[in-house]
Amino acid sequence: MIYQYSYDMVTDDIFLQLPELAAGSDVFLKLEGLNPAGSVKLKTALSLIEDAEHRGLLAPGTPIIESSSGNLGIALSSICATKGYPFTCVVDPNTSGTSADHMRALGTEVVVVDHIDANGGFLASRIAYIQQRTAADPRMVWLNQYANQANPRAHYEQTGRSMLKELQQIDYLFVGAGSTGTFVGCAQYLREYSPETRIIAVDAVGSVIFGTRPGQRFLPGLGASRPPELCRPELADEVVLVAEPDAIRECRRLARDHGLLTGGSTGSVLAAIRHYAAGFPAGSRIAAISPDLGERYLRTVYSDAWVAERYGVLAF
């Protein structure tokens, strides 16, 4: 297949079956990392930019700014490089150095905000920085993934639709929550076209998205220290909170048993399925979303020294 633009190279129909994760049930892991931007966020990024273009907010050379823990920043960097928009990505110390280097290599200005907010995270601090920058430069456009309906729309129109098309029947969907765009978009689609599907939102211990107690977190991608405006908690039949060490164990197990490196968000989703495993009715068809692959986390999730420094020595 020949494409004109790299951002059109979205792979939306690849699943890995994990028969051992829930005995008597079929588990299908939707792999979203097999595109040029390396994550599900390529769809989000393109939707955000095209929405801004359609609304007349962007002209040639218009500077764009966004907050990201890594993956959306990389996806936006790729698209902005292609379209000629100067891009500034606001990250925090939990963003992997590999992800930051990736963005810089694509011409992005990367700003690291290290002021901890009131909930023990960095999101509110990142957003405050963006508000300062846009006030100083009225030409600068903040795409605002946390409140922009173009975010979940991408996953209603693509991710949710492709899952149901390929799998035909989904009894359970396990999906991680960060900006909540993927969760909301997929849940909206399934509520409309597969209302019998039970939707399980997966969040991190220490995240406040669903009103739980704040706490320190080190893995990027899942969870937030500020509830996103997009979030619709009523779309979830249940919320499962996963501790970061459990997410890391699942990442290591998947690498060991299936030869596949994935990020911490995938590990969290798999840990939530394992938590549920005994309660699935026989013959259940379970879909789970893997937002990205694991090369960006070799110095974190897959580093014994990094893990031990933050969580102590874990048994794998």
Side-chain angles (χ1 to χ4, degrees):
M1 299 180 71
I2 298 174
Y3 294 87
Q4 186 174 3
Y5 303 110
S6 61
Y7 53 73
D8 288 330
M9 299 164 63
V10 173
T11 52
D12 217 13
D13 57 356
I14 298 177
F15 297 79
L16 176 66
Q17 193 164 4
L18 301 174
E20 78 288 349
L21 195 58
S25 298
D26 293 316
V27 178
F28 302 94
L29 184 64
K30 189 175 192 300
L31 300 181
E32 293 281 356
L34 300 172
N35 63 58
S39 79
V40 69
K41 294 293 189 177
L42 180 60
K43 289 177 279 190
T44 305
L46 186 59
S47 183
L48 292 171
I49 288 180
E50 289 185 340
D51 175 74
E53 290 173 337
H54 292 158
R55 290 191 288 137
L57 300 178
L58 299 178
T62 299
I64 292 173
I65 192 167
E66 184 56 283
S67 161
S68 172
S69 61
N71 283 334
L72 182 68
I74 290 171
L76 286 170
S77 296
S78 176
I79 297 170
C80 287
T82 304
K83 288 178 170 282
Y85 299 125
F87 177 49
T88 298
C89 189
V90 184
V91 303
D92 61 53
N94 287 338
T95 300
S96 77
T98 302
S99 294
D101 289 344
H102 192 152
M103 288 185 257
R104 293 188 184 99
L106 293 171
T108 294
E109 175 194 15
V110 178
V111 177
V112 181
V113 171
D114 58 6
H115 176 67
I116 296 175
D117 62 31
N119 284 323
F122 299 95
L123 180 53
S125 300
R126 282 192 261 149
I127 290 173
Y129 176 85
I130 288 174
Q131 291 168 338
Q132 294 170 11
R133 286 287 297 267
T134 54
D137 182 0
R139 292 181 61 247
M140 182 170 272
V141 173
W142 177 25
L143 299 172
N144 194 1
Q145 63 163 319
Y146 311 104
N148 193 328
Q149 290 299 321
N151 181 349
R153 185 163 63 244
H155 303 289
Y156 177 93
E157 294 176 349
Q158 297 180 72
T159 313
R161 185 191 305 272
S162 68
M163 272 193 300
L164 192 57
K165 176 185 175 183
E166 298 298 328
L167 299 180
Q168 297 296 304
Q169 174 189 335
I170 301 174
D171 298 310
Y172 294 83
L173 170 66
F174 285 75
V175 55
S179 73
T180 71
T182 306
F183 156 63
V184 170
C186 290
Q188 287 175 323
Y189 187 85
L190 291 175
R191 287 283 182 248
E192 185 171 349
Y193 293 100
S194 181
E196 70 280 2
T197 299
R198 187 167 178 82
I199 297 168
I200 313 299
V202 181
D203 198 8
V205 171
S207 168
V208 304
I209 291 176
F210 295 98
T212 50
R213 180 176 300 179
Q216 190 173 35
R217 293 173 293 111
F218 298 104
L219 295 180
L222 198 72
S225 59
R226 167 187 176 273
E229 292 87 346
L230 287 175
C231 188
R232 292 183 55 191
E234 73 277 7
L235 289 172
D237 292 296
E238 189 168 344
V239 176
V240 175
L241 298 179
V242 173
E244 291 186 338
D246 291 334
I248 292 170
R249 289 187 183 95
E250 291 299 330
C251 287
R252 299 285 190 98
R253 184 179 284 115
L254 191 67
R256 183 184 66 230
D257 295 345
H258 292 273
L260 181 68
L261 297 183
T262 57
S265 298
T266 302
S268 296
V269 168
L270 296 180
I273 294 174
R274 190 176 297 279
H275 166 78
Y276 248 84
F280 294 125
S284 294
R285 290 175 65 83
I286 302 152
I289 296 176
S290 170
D292 62 0
L293 299 183
E295 290 86 349
R296 293 168 187 170
Y297 310 99
L298 290 173
R299 298 178 185 174
T300 55
V301 170
Y302 299 97
S303 165
D304 290 344
W306 186 92
V307 170
E309 182 180 345
R310 286 153 183 81
Y311 311 105
V313 178
L314 303 182
F316 296 112

